[in-house]
Amino acid sequence: MNLNGNTQKEILSSLATLAKSQDIVSAEDTLVQDYLEREKESTTGFGNGVAIPHARTNNVKTTAILFGRSSSDIEWNSLDGKPVNTFISLLVPNDQGDTHLKLLAKLSRQLVHKDFVSILKNGTKEEVFTAINNVLEN
């Protein structure tokens, strides 16, 4: 769950390395570019120290959610102006736009709930997995 990096691009690269190691994407470098292009549209930093970097692209082989934390605060141009240290990455194949929007909507709505954010920031791997799955199942 620990991501290496001190900048936004380094964190995105760390997520891309994880995605490639899990055979979720075809090309690691392409995913980093996809993430960066998305960030140019608008920030994925939702506030409370949480960002949801995401990509919907042909580079993604299968829908997946990656989770990680950084030991340092990362400047992310977040909506609340504060740095980020907790990341939920949504990766969706290009032909699954509805899935992409549904996942993003469900997760982003939960970021206003302190209990959910607390689990993301402090929970064990199992607690985070359960919390995210509970959100997606409802």
Side-chain angles (χ1 to χ4, degrees):
M1 292 194 329
N2 297 321
L3 297 175
N4 295 321
N6 294 307
T7 66
Q8 184 182 53
K9 187 171 182 180
E10 289 173 354
I11 291 296
L12 295 174
S13 293
S14 188
L15 285 166
T17 299
L18 177 60
K20 179 65 177 164
S21 74
Q22 299 294 315
D23 200 33
I24 296 165
V25 296
S26 299
E28 190 174 321
D29 292 345
T30 302
L31 180 57
V32 173
Q33 290 308 311
D34 293 336
Y35 280 140
L36 291 171
E37 286 298 316
R38 175 60 189 82
E39 291 295 331
K40 285 180 188 175
E41 292 175 26
S42 66
T43 184
T44 60
F46 282 85
N48 293 320
V50 180
I52 306 179
H54 52 279
R56 192 183 94 212
T57 173
N58 290 330
N59 183 42
V60 177
K61 297 178 181 181
T62 185
T63 298
I65 298 173
L66 304 175
F67 177 83
R69 296 183 192 126
S70 170
S71 58
S72 57
D73 290 339
I74 309 298
E75 178 51 49
W76 208 269
N77 194 29
S78 296
L79 295 174
D80 64 359
K82 296 180 180 172
V84 173
N85 57 20
T86 305
F87 308 89
I88 306 170
S89 176
L90 306 178
L91 300 173
V92 180
N94 206 32
D95 62 351
Q96 296 181 20
D98 284 353
T99 300
H100 179 250
L101 292 174
K102 287 177 186 174
L103 292 173
L104 186 58
K106 285 182 177 189
L107 286 168
S108 61
R109 278 195 300 266
Q110 292 304 308
L111 296 180
V112 299
H113 299 288
K114 290 181 181 180
D115 292 346
F116 181 73
V117 173
S118 179
I119 290 170
L120 295 180
K121 293 188 161 297
N122 305 305
T124 64
K125 186 184 212 178
E126 292 75 20
E127 289 169 335
V128 169
F129 181 80
T130 298
I132 291 173
N133 275 338
N134 285 342
V135 167
L136 300 179
E137 290 173 358
N138 294 322

